[in-house]
Amino acid sequence: MFGGEMKQSRVTLRDIADTVGTSISTVSLALRDDARVSEKLRRTIQNTAAELGYKVDLLGSMMRSNTPHVLGVVGRFDQELHAHYIRLLGEEARLRGYQLVAENAAAYEHMSEAFKTLAQFRITTTIAINPDPDDHNESSENGPSVVIGQERVFPHADLMTSRNESGAEELAEHLDTLGHRSIVYFDGEPGVSAQSRREAVIAACHRHRIRVDTVAAGATMDAGFTAASRLMADQWAQRRQRTRRTDGGRLGDYSALVGYNDHCIQGAAVALMGAGVRIPTDISLAGFDNSQVAQSTTFNLTSVDRGVRKIATIALDRAIERITHPDLDGITIGVDSHLVIRTSTGRAFYLNDSTPILFPSRNPPTDDSVGRATCEH
């Protein structure tokens, strides 16, 4: 239809413009679905481009533009929260007419190497998801412009962080309302993120006069399963040494279990249900992240939503601003987390059981006991 010569060479914007009878700039706008071109003309140009076999030369476009509409993001594709951030960032980028190129941090020893890879494609405005302190290379000039996480690993980057305190407060209030007075917290792997969340949970529960004991666990399903299995074994051994068999529930005085994240609680739930523990009749469960696991009908888990969508939106807007203003001072923006209540939390077991038992003390933990709980990981 359009001649053999055109088929043998790469189709250009000029080829499309000549075929349609319009300008190259109009073709460029239409192919980006820009509303400044009428819908009828946009469809004509887009259909013509498809018939000619036009393919977007994204790399060439980046090389030619001083302000390319391309952003990079580095995260671990094997972590659900990171993948969720990447998906949301991609959605927000497309709404603003930008392309998002994602690099898998899990493929590198340090995240800084992923930044260098993106920089080789002239993608210098990047967003990093939860980098570790080891990811900061002082000699590197390819660090991120925006960081999503709990720690300022890169001094000159903007930090978008989720405030654990607000969600932890709502969780403690919820447990208090349900009559819980003694809970166990499954801690995450040692680090700033785990420390921040643990301290927020303990402080909020302390304000509501709820005792918290901390158990070392982790961020995976296997870690939660192992920690719950050991906890049940320890509680069973302790009960065998007591003269009164009615003083406590299936997990002693603990009426609720809160985890560092939803995956940890998912593993704990499997272990508990496998031992015949009823949720939430015998013990209530709650996690953090409001992940797909928490939202599933299988687990229907009460969880603290960390404001992921809002953080993604703010992070992207800040990254776009930094394309034209790369020397902006780094700022920190915190987003409140909030509790999403589901069926995994209910009244404390001693409010559901008519058997006389030793009611857990409402007295708040002492400062010493809080300190011990914090250090038991």
Side-chain angles (χ1 to χ4, degrees):
M1 176 179 177
F2 297 105
E5 183 178 346
M6 188 174 291
K7 291 182 180 179
Q8 294 173 1
S9 60
R10 175 181 286 275
V11 179
T12 66
L13 295 181
R14 181 176 293 280
D15 295 328
I16 301 171
D18 291 345
T19 302
V20 176
T22 187
S23 67
I24 294 175
S25 60
T26 300
V27 170
S28 178
L29 291 172
L31 293 179
R32 296 201 302 268
D33 215 26
D34 195 303
R36 287 175 288 182
V37 180
S38 69
E39 183 176 357
K40 181 179 179 180
L41 182 54
R42 267 185 286 157
R43 296 292 170 261
T44 299
I45 291 172
Q46 291 168 2
N47 290 338
T48 301
E51 291 172 359
L52 290 172
Y54 175 77
K55 292 181 173 55
V56 177
D57 182 9
L58 183 59
L59 180 60
S61 174
M62 287 189 292
M63 296 293 287
R64 290 188 295 269
S65 175
N66 291 327
T67 56
H69 281 214
V70 181
L71 298 163
V73 58
V74 179
R76 295 186 62 94
F77 293 2
D78 58 346
Q79 293 191 15
E80 181 186 330
L81 183 61
H82 289 214
H84 189 36
Y85 268 123
I86 292 170
R87 181 177 64 80
L88 293 176
L89 288 166
E91 292 175 0
E92 294 295 330
R94 286 190 292 274
L95 289 174
R96 293 159 175 76
Y98 284 78
Q99 294 289 334
L100 187 74
V101 178
E103 190 69 15
N104 186 7
Y108 300 89
E109 184 176 357
H110 295 294
M111 191 177 280
S112 57
E113 298 172 25
F115 300 139
K116 290 179 181 178
T117 298
L118 291 174
Q120 290 172 357
F121 292 95
R122 292 189 62 183
I123 303 174
T124 56
T125 304
T126 56
I127 300 170
I129 303 173
N130 202 28
D132 293 325
D134 291 341
D135 292 324
H136 181 216
N137 185 346
E138 293 290 351
S139 62
S140 174
E141 298 179 356
N142 304 314
S145 303
V146 179
V147 169
I148 297 174
Q150 298 297 124
E151 183 178 9
R152 184 173 289 283
V153 175
F154 297 88
H156 302 294
D158 296 325
L159 177 63
M160 309 291 121
T161 186
S162 173
R163 297 192 187 101
N164 289 308
E165 292 79 8
S166 51
E169 176 61 30
E170 291 181 13
L171 174 59
E173 182 177 2
H174 174 58
L175 295 175
D176 185 7
T177 302
L178 294 172
H180 296 276
R181 293 292 168 261
S182 181
I183 73 170
V184 60
Y185 177 74
F186 278 10
D187 203 4
E189 295 291 338
V192 172
S193 179
Q195 178 181 347
S196 173
R197 193 165 304 171
R198 179 179 66 249
E199 291 176 350
V201 170
I202 291 175
C205 288
H206 193 199
R207 286 191 293 272
H208 287 268
R209 302 173 68 184
I210 299 173
R211 177 172 174 257
V212 182
D213 286 338
T214 302
V215 171
T220 66
M221 181 177 174
D222 286 346
F225 183 94
T226 300
S229 298
R230 289 174 176 169
L231 180 64
M232 286 189 288
D234 290 343
Q235 291 298 319
W236 179 82
Q238 290 177 24
R239 289 185 68 181
R240 280 183 61 96
Q241 298 175 1
R242 297 175 181 173
T243 56
R244 290 184 62 190
R245 294 297 182 91
T246 57
D247 58 342
R250 295 294 300 273
L251 290 177
D253 288 345
Y254 301 135
S255 58
L257 193 164
V258 176
Y260 168 75
N261 65 9
D262 295 335
H263 288 287
C264 176
I265 289 298
Q266 179 188 16
V270 172
L272 291 166
M273 290 186 292
V277 178
R278 298 167 298 173
I279 301 168
T281 303
D282 296 325
I283 190 150
S284 292
L285 299 181
F288 276 76
D289 291 346
N290 194 27
S291 64
Q292 291 180 352
V293 167
Q295 298 174 40
S296 69
T297 55
T298 303
F299 289 95
N300 207 26
L301 181 65
T302 294
S303 182
V304 175
D305 188 300
R306 299 173 61 193
V308 172
R309 179 170 290 278
K310 186 173 182 179
I311 289 175
T313 300
I314 297 172
L316 189 77
D317 287 340
R318 188 65 180 178
I320 291 173
E321 187 176 3
R322 278 181 168 268
I323 290 179
T324 53
H325 301 89
D327 297 326
L328 288 173
D329 292 334
I331 61 173
T332 298
I333 298 178
V335 173
D336 283 342
S337 55
H338 65 276
L339 183 67
V340 180
I341 299 173
R342 298 190 177 92
T343 59
S344 68
T345 47
R347 297 201 312 169
F349 67 84
Y350 36 78
L351 300 180
N352 298 322
D353 195 342
S354 59
T355 304
I357 61 173
L358 179 64
F359 196 90
S361 172
R362 187 179 172 86
N363 294 329
T366 65
D367 290 340
D368 288 342
S369 66
V370 171
R372 287 197 301 272
T374 302
C375 295
E376 287 176 1
H377 61 89

